[in-house]
Amino acid sequence: MGFFITFIILIIIIIFIFSSKKLSPIPYFPSQSVDLPKIIKALNLKNNQTVFDLGAGDGIIIFEAAKEALKQKLNTKFIAVEINPILILILYFRRLFHPNKKNIKIVYGDIFKFDFINFMNFTNFITVYLYISPWFLERIIRNLKLEIRNFSVVSYMYPIKSLEKNEKIIEGKNSIFIYDL
């Protein structure tokens, strides 16, 4: 009986964390694994690059891209930013066993208040991966433009209206939108 009550309490805590606007303001939906190769291609991995995954979720993109960078012998850095404490634990756990863990940084933080400058002093190329609710995309782009001059954005599934003139599209199960700014 004690195990059952503990299990129910744990489930309630997890539901609370995933439904709390403060702890998880953007719903968690993982990127589709069938589109992974196309997303990795869209990131255009290269030396002296930093790839930010804002709202990294379980890290499927960061970990797969880091594996590809290692395979290509690139010194690409990867930064996963996530606010959900459960997903942060999953990210840390996955990084423990990743072959390129030295180039993966996990940041517990709010993507709308994130200070990019603190993570960019070693790089020439900045790429930001976004798979967030479409109504938050413009807000993120405004924040990025305030802090970063030249960067690329890869948006999974949702186009960014203010960047349409710079848009390239890769078709997969879902569309992948690429913007060079």
Side-chain angles (χ1 to χ4, degrees):
M1 185 70 167
F3 173 76
F4 180 73
I5 291 173
T6 304
F7 179 73
I8 295 297
I9 291 171
L10 184 62
I11 294 297
I12 290 169
I13 290 170
I14 290 172
I15 290 170
F16 171 74
I17 288 172
F18 276 90
S19 62
S20 164
K21 294 271 188 211
K22 184 172 173 111
L23 296 175
S24 191
I26 298 173
Y28 166 66
F29 295 106
S31 301
Q32 298 286 313
S33 58
V34 69
D35 285 331
L36 273 175
K38 291 179 180 186
I39 294 169
I40 302 305
K41 180 181 178 190
L43 293 174
N44 192 23
L45 299 176
K46 56 186 141 250
N47 278 317
N48 299 316
Q49 178 184 23
T50 301
V51 176
F52 290 95
D53 186 347
L54 303 183
D58 64 3
I60 187 170
I61 300 303
I62 286 291
F63 293 114
E64 195 61 35
K67 196 182 304 178
E68 181 62 28
L70 183 65
K71 189 168 116 180
Q72 293 181 30
K73 298 182 177 152
L74 301 172
N75 68 343
T76 310
K77 306 294 182 197
F78 299 91
I79 301 171
V81 183
E82 180 57 58
I83 197 169
N84 184 311
I86 302 288
L87 294 172
I88 284 288
L89 289 173
I90 292 168
L91 289 167
Y92 275 112
F93 182 76
R94 288 186 72 187
R95 187 180 68 185
L96 276 175
F97 302 102
H98 197 280
N100 196 8
K101 64 183 161 198
K102 69 179 175 59
N103 286 323
I104 301 169
K105 182 163 183 65
I106 297 165
V107 179
Y108 175 68
D110 184 338
I111 63 175
F112 300 110
K113 298 175 184 171
F114 186 69
D115 188 4
F116 294 90
I117 301 300
N118 290 332
F119 298 94
M120 296 186 329
N121 59 359
F122 55 82
T123 187
N124 294 329
F125 306 102
I126 306 293
T127 303
V128 177
Y129 177 75
L130 296 170
Y131 179 32
I132 62 173
S133 301
W135 47 88
F136 291 119
L137 287 171
E138 295 296 341
R139 183 174 168 196
I140 289 291
I141 295 302
R142 275 194 308 276
N143 291 351
L144 285 165
K145 285 181 174 179
L146 291 173
E147 290 196 51
I148 308 171
R149 286 190 189 264
N150 298 315
F151 61 99
S152 295
V153 176
V154 174
S155 178
Y156 185 61
M157 202 181 289
Y158 304 112
I160 302 170
K161 299 293 182 201
S162 66
L163 303 178
E164 276 181 331
K165 65 181 179 197
N166 298 330
E167 187 174 86
K168 294 179 215 152
I169 302 172
I170 297 176
E171 294 297 338
K173 180 176 181 187
N174 296 292
S175 296
I176 301 158
F177 301 88
I178 305 165
Y179 307 93
D180 292 317
L181 306 171

